Amino acid sequence: MELFFEGHDLRYAVEQMLLTLYPNERPVYPEQPGGALPRARISLREGKTYVTSVCRLETEQGVFYGRAAVLRAARTDEVVAKRLHSQAVKLALYRAALASGLPKPVWGALGGVRPAKLMARLLDEGVSPRAACARFRADYDVSPGKARLCLDAALAGRAAAESLQARDVCLYIGIPFCPTRCAYCSFVSSAVGKSAGLTEPFLQALFQEIDATARAVRESGLRPVALYVGGGTPTTLSAAQLDALCAHTAGAFDLRALREYTVEAGRPDTITEEKLRVLRGHGVDRLSVNPQTMRDDILQAIGRRHSAADVERAMETAARVGGFTVNMDLIAGLPGDDAPGFAGTLERVMAFAPQNITVHTLCLKKGARLMTEETKLPPAETVGQMLEQAESVLRGAQYVPYYLYRQKYMSGGFENVGWAKGNTQNLYNICIMEELCTVLAMGGGASTKLTAPTGRIVRAFAPKYPQEYIERIADTCAEKAKIKEFYHGV
């Protein structure tokens, strides 16, 4: 789509809304109009009382207009001003698109990864949850159901924030190995059969990064309160390797204040009683066993290389070892699935009575086999039915949504939601999604996010691929100096 701006250059905001409304369009910024339609001209003008954005949208069907305004007086500083101006230009484009006949997106005018943060901002202004929902719906044209999801997640985020102290941090350790690569996956992970020779060198490099991070944590006076080992699939490692990893981590960090210790055992074909007893012996008290679906034909189609019976055996093993709060992941919108099939999967998963269930929407990621092979997928209407079924069943069984996020290219434009029963929310998931505290990440492709009380965020990234990670470990360890620099004077 050709884009022209007047009175602003809020490209990121406009491109966010463009992706939401027209996922197949890409922004083009020519000097003069003349390319193929659609085309949008978006202005931002300042009056005595309001700052107003107007969008003129040209399509094959005609010319359509959208308008949005914000109070000048609401712009308390430059950061707030940019946020309000961004909201205005996005709403102007959104309203013009709907005027042209474009169907209303499932999340209305709301873009971005973290919708619950917007709801939390309203709650922080001191308004009641009911009033926050009303304003949220008015500001973003969001349905009552989506607003309720955001409110639940925002309230969980507020409770988590109130439980944290100023120097509390979360730790993440990434293990970039899996038994096989799933068809929907674009994460950085290596099939262990092809990279078995890299696991030991990778671990030795990882131990160096753990030591460097722990040293920075001590020198900065930080306190780890949550530890999450993800990937990839960490339980791809052998029992002996898991033992060495957990022992080295405990030896490097002071984990006495740890409130939770999570390990992703996402692939049930990697779970053995020996491995779980090793993890439990090191204090791991949260486990993810992720079937994604309980249909064997779909599991085979997406390259999981395990069966629903393997999931049952894994859950039996976890129960036998004991002491774990268990999460199970499901994906709505997998190839070959339908609403009745998804309902059957949900019913079988509910029978395990896991404390947490995370319902993902299939994300159509570049580089994933589902995209490169142009696999036929369930339509958005069917995906919506799956998610509605899940919400109805989970709420009926006393599960509550506690974290929520969206991704680019998500099937139907829906969302991912973590559900918890009782007081079993995963603190790490809330902290990383709502950006409540620093997350210090170690391992292949790990992303550290240093977060100050002011909201300032500094990011640092480790090399993605195991071989590259091993070769560049000295540089990765040297980068840990940023932690101490960041917290100097905080």
Side-chain angles (χ1 to χ4, degrees):
M1 177 184 288
E2 289 187 350
L3 296 174
F4 300 90
F5 298 158
E6 294 178 10
H8 70 95
D9 190 25
L10 296 167
R11 292 193 177 200
Y12 180 73
V14 172
E15 288 174 6
Q16 269 193 319
M17 184 53 63
L18 178 67
L19 180 63
T20 298
L21 297 167
Y22 302 96
N24 296 322
E25 291 284 342
R26 294 295 177 266
V28 179
Y29 297 95
E31 292 187 5
Q32 298 292 332
L37 299 177
R39 176 184 305 126
R41 186 176 296 276
I42 306 166
S43 65
L44 188 71
R45 293 190 173 89
E46 193 163 328
K48 292 183 178 180
T49 306
Y50 293 98
V51 178
T52 303
S53 179
V54 175
C55 175
R56 182 182 189 274
L57 177 65
E58 297 179 64
T59 74
E60 297 289 350
Q61 288 71 42
V63 179
F64 306 90
Y65 290 89
R67 179 183 180 278
V70 295
L71 282 168
R72 285 186 59 185
R75 304 177 307 172
T76 54
D77 56 43
E78 288 187 12
V79 173
V80 173
K82 185 174 182 179
R83 172 166 57 81
L84 292 175
H85 293 172
S86 296
Q87 182 178 337
V89 297
K90 287 195 286 188
L91 279 172
L93 174 57
Y94 173 81
R95 289 166 179 167
L98 263 60
S100 75
L102 195 75
K104 178 180 174 179
V106 294
W107 275 90
L110 195 59
V113 173
R114 299 175 173 86
K117 285 193 73 173
L118 301 176
M119 181 69 79
R121 190 176 290 145
L122 295 176
L123 294 173
D124 289 343
E125 292 176 5
V127 301
S128 69
R130 183 174 181 179
C133 271
R135 278 184 56 185
F136 193 79
R137 292 184 58 199
D139 287 348
Y140 301 105
D141 199 21
V142 173
S143 71
K146 301 304 183 191
R148 185 183 180 190
L149 282 175
C150 281
L151 177 62
D152 286 333
L155 291 172
R158 169 180 277 189
E162 290 173 351
S163 76
L164 295 170
Q165 296 182 19
R167 297 259 166 170
D168 287 351
V169 298
C170 295
L171 304 177
Y172 175 85
I173 297 175
I175 307 297
F177 300 103
C178 279
T180 59
R181 190 176 183 86
C182 298
Y184 53 78
C185 182
S186 67
F187 286 121
V188 177
S189 59
S190 299
V192 74
K194 296 181 179 180
S195 56
L198 291 177
T199 53
E200 278 298 332
F202 171 84
L203 285 174
Q204 294 307 312
L206 175 59
F207 292 167
Q208 294 180 51
E209 187 183 6
I210 287 172
D211 290 342
T213 306
R215 187 163 49 251
V217 165
R218 288 192 301 273
E219 292 172 352
S220 303
L222 306 179
R223 185 176 77 155
V225 293
L227 171 54
Y228 195 106
V229 185
T233 307
T235 44
T236 302
L237 300 177
S238 69
Q241 289 169 332
L242 288 169
D243 185 39
L245 173 61
C246 292
H248 196 97
T249 303
F253 290 98
D254 181 353
L255 300 179
R256 288 176 295 177
L258 212 61
R259 290 157 55 181
E260 63 180 35
Y261 192 162
T262 307
V263 171
E264 285 273 359
R267 294 285 288 266
D269 45 333
T270 68
I271 296 173
T272 66
E273 183 167 339
E274 182 186 12
K275 291 180 185 181
L276 296 192
R277 292 202 181 279
V278 164
L279 296 177
R280 193 71 196 97
H282 283 284
V284 174
D285 56 4
R286 300 186 69 102
L287 199 69
S288 278
V289 180
N290 303 334
Q292 316 301 13
T293 177
M294 293 296 283
R295 288 182 53 177
D296 285 344
D297 58 330
I298 298 176
L299 287 169
Q300 195 68 25
I302 62 176
R304 290 287 282 186
R305 301 293 191 271
H306 68 80
S307 66
D310 292 324
V311 177
E312 294 172 355
R313 283 191 289 271
M315 291 299 290
E316 289 169 0
T317 302
R320 187 163 57 251
V321 173
F324 295 112
T325 295
V326 177
N327 170 76
M328 300 184 78
D329 279 7
L330 303 179
I331 298 179
L334 290 172
D337 209 357
D338 53 24
F342 185 81
T345 284
L346 184 61
E347 182 179 6
R348 292 182 69 179
V349 165
M350 294 287 285
F352 298 124
Q355 291 86 353
N356 291 184
I357 295 177
T358 305
V359 181
H360 295 270
T361 300
L362 180 67
C363 195
L364 309 176
K365 298 176 181 177
K366 294 179 180 178
R369 182 159 56 83
L370 287 184
M371 292 298 289
T372 59
E373 295 180 357
E374 299 183 355
T375 306
K376 185 176 181 181
L377 301 170
E381 181 181 3
T382 299
V383 177
Q385 292 171 1
M386 294 174 179
L387 297 176
E388 288 172 6
Q389 289 171 352
E391 181 169 1
S392 176
V393 169
L394 290 166
R395 286 194 186 274
Q398 307 305 308
Y399 288 81
V400 176
Y402 76 94
Y403 85 107
L404 161 72
Y405 68 103
R406 302 176 67 208
Q407 294 170 274
K408 290 181 179 179
Y409 313 116
M410 190 167 263
S411 183
F414 291 101
E415 68 282 334
N416 302 321
V417 182
W419 298 81
K421 193 166 188 176
N423 189 29
T424 63
Q425 297 91 341
N426 185 295
L427 176 64
Y428 172 87
N429 283 336
I430 298 174
C431 287
I432 193 168
M433 203 47 57
E434 302 307 314
E435 299 177 323
L436 299 182
C437 69
T438 284
V439 176
L440 300 175
M442 298 150 277
S447 173
T448 284
K449 186 179 288 187
L450 302 168
T451 304
T454 59
R456 182 171 71 98
I457 292 175
V458 174
R459 293 173 173 83
F461 304 93
K464 294 181 178 181
Y465 302 102
Q467 186 65 52
E468 181 188 14
Y469 176 82
I470 294 164
E471 292 171 352
R472 293 178 54 192
I473 191 58
D475 293 338
T476 300
C477 290
E479 282 236 311
K480 300 305 175 183
K482 289 182 178 179
I483 299 171
K484 191 174 179 181
E485 292 169 7
F486 183 85
Y487 279 98
H488 179 69
V490 173

